[in-house]
Amino acid sequence: MKTQAVMAVAFASTFAVATPAAAQDRSDWPTNFTVGTASQGGTYFAYGSGWANFVAENLGVSGGAEITGGPVQNMALVHTGDLKFGLTTMGPARESMEGNSPLAPGMMMDNVCAMFPMYETPFSVTALSSSGITSIADIPDGATIGFGPAGSTSDTYFPRMMETLGVNFERRNGSWSDLGGQLQDGLIDVVAFAAGIPIPAVSQLEVQTDVNIIGMTDAEAETIINNFPVSEFIIPASTYQSLDAPSRVVSMWNFAMVNCDVSESFVYEITKLTMENNDKMVSIHKAARNSVPENYTKNNVLPWHPGAARWFNENGYPIEDSKIK
């Protein structure tokens, strides 16, 4: 499970907020921390590295982001303690908790705790306008589809979704940035993205060429919702220059997670900082508009870390003792 470290650089003028954390007893706090994200060009990396900067600057603990394979690998790395923090999606989290991770079949990754809700991951398709592909039904038989990094949420679920919708394809893996480049160069036909919006790689593609951002028909969305742990999602037209109307797709929730053995007071302060400063989070990535405490109910998979649960309970978002690790 090789990863690539990218240490955070503090942006004091951008992210610093008033916090009383310095007065806390820090005897059980780590001297540094690392957040498992995903590939460059995707939302996890942008969100995770920015969040790490934000926490490091305001809590005075050295922190950074690490490039990984995404939610599936992050679950394994956080469970084993190789990383203390990570980002995950509820589908891969459930499979990993139940011992069905493709990385470690049979290992029940149950030492992972929830911290706070992040955002929904929409599943959408992007093709070059010159391809003539304007719907999933238009994808030609045997098309080469990029599904993101191996083991990512997209790679785990989107191929199954395509098969369920009757699409025959050749599978291609890679970072979102790399796949975007391959699409632009005509080396692949379609990229099936699953990431928080706006996806940096899609926004970059729009600057360089004409693309079609493809949603699902009512029937396609209903079929997928009936067969996968997802819900309906509407991508607002304002998200991308290439959209002239809202796009119906499906989505899956993401949560920030932590190894359950990490200091309760440290996790409490991180949760407090994040949940009480949504404007700062949105300045890191627009997807953070949904990183608000009201969405804590979207976690029906992971146990809550005691530090995170303490903040939610103190602020009117009740979490039962049975759901706390």
Side-chain angles (χ1 to χ4, degrees):
M1 288 187 283
K2 293 183 179 179
T3 55
Q4 179 179 347
V6 179
M7 293 310 294
V9 178
F11 295 103
S13 61
T14 302
F15 295 135
V17 298
T19 173
Q24 295 285 332
D25 176 8
R26 298 179 171 220
S27 59
D28 61 350
W29 284 29
T31 57
N32 58 74
F33 68 94
T34 306
V35 179
T37 60
S39 72
Q40 289 178 301
T43 305
Y44 263 28
F45 182 74
Y47 186 110
S49 54
W51 175 57
N53 291 335
F54 181 48
V55 171
E57 178 61 30
N58 286 280
L59 298 188
V61 179
S62 176
E66 192 157 306
I67 296 171
T68 70
V72 175
Q73 188 179 23
N74 290 343
M75 282 292 297
L77 291 168
V78 173
H79 169 74
T80 59
D82 291 335
L83 294 180
K84 298 304 183 186
F85 298 89
L87 313 180
T88 194
T89 317
M90 291 291 95
R94 181 183 296 279
E95 292 188 356
S96 299
M97 290 279 291
E98 295 174 348
N100 296 318
S101 169
L103 288 180
M107 177 187 290
M108 298 182 69
M109 300 180 188
D110 55 3
N111 199 34
V112 179
C113 286
M115 284 187 66
F116 62 82
M118 292 168 53
Y119 54 80
E120 291 176 88
T121 287
F123 290 74
S124 64
V125 173
T126 299
L128 297 182
S129 297
S130 59
S131 70
I133 299 172
T134 61
S135 68
I136 291 176
D138 287 340
I139 297 174
D141 191 56
T144 301
I145 300 179
F147 289 105
S152 64
T153 300
S154 182
D155 184 52
T156 301
Y157 288 95
F158 229 148
R160 299 185 217 169
M161 293 179 181
M162 288 295 191
E163 290 168 354
T164 300
L165 295 175
V167 179
N168 296 312
F169 55 85
E170 295 292 330
R171 190 169 183 159
R172 184 74 59 84
N173 290 117
S175 72
W176 292 127
S177 295
D178 180 50
L179 291 173
Q182 291 186 47
L183 181 68
Q184 187 174 357
D185 293 341
L187 301 175
I188 59 178
D189 301 292
V190 165
V191 180
F193 286 99
I197 55 174
I199 302 167
V202 175
S203 298
Q204 182 63 31
L205 271 172
E206 288 189 303
V207 172
Q208 299 170 334
T209 188
D210 294 328
V211 299
N212 293 334
I213 297 171
I214 299 165
M216 297 179 179
T217 65
D218 292 349
E220 289 168 344
E222 182 178 1
T223 296
I224 297 304
I225 290 168
N226 289 339
N227 286 276
F228 297 92
V230 295
S231 56
E232 182 176 337
F233 185 89
I234 303 297
I235 299 177
S238 59
T239 305
Y240 298 112
Q241 299 173 13
S242 303
L243 283 178
D244 55 14
S247 177
R248 174 183 285 101
V249 293
V250 297
S251 69
M252 190 180 289
W253 268 93
N254 299 272
F255 269 70
M257 58 176 171
V258 58
N259 181 280
C260 297
D261 298 328
V262 172
S263 159
E264 178 178 337
S265 64
F266 185 48
V267 173
Y268 173 86
E269 290 297 341
I270 292 177
T271 305
K272 174 182 173 66
L273 178 70
T274 307
M275 292 290 92
E276 294 182 6
N277 292 283
N278 186 251
D279 59 331
K280 299 294 184 181
M281 292 298 296
V282 172
S283 74
I284 292 168
H285 196 285
K286 291 181 181 178
R289 285 177 296 212
N290 290 314
S291 300
V292 293
E294 289 82 1
N295 287 327
Y296 84 113
T297 58
K298 306 301 182 180
N299 171 35
N300 56 4
V301 175
L302 296 172
W304 287 92
H305 190 284
R310 177 156 66 94
W311 184 88
F312 281 100
N313 279 320
E314 286 178 357
N315 289 276
Y317 306 98
I319 297 175
E320 300 172 8
D321 288 347
S322 61
K323 295 182 180 180
I324 303 171
K325 183 75 171 181

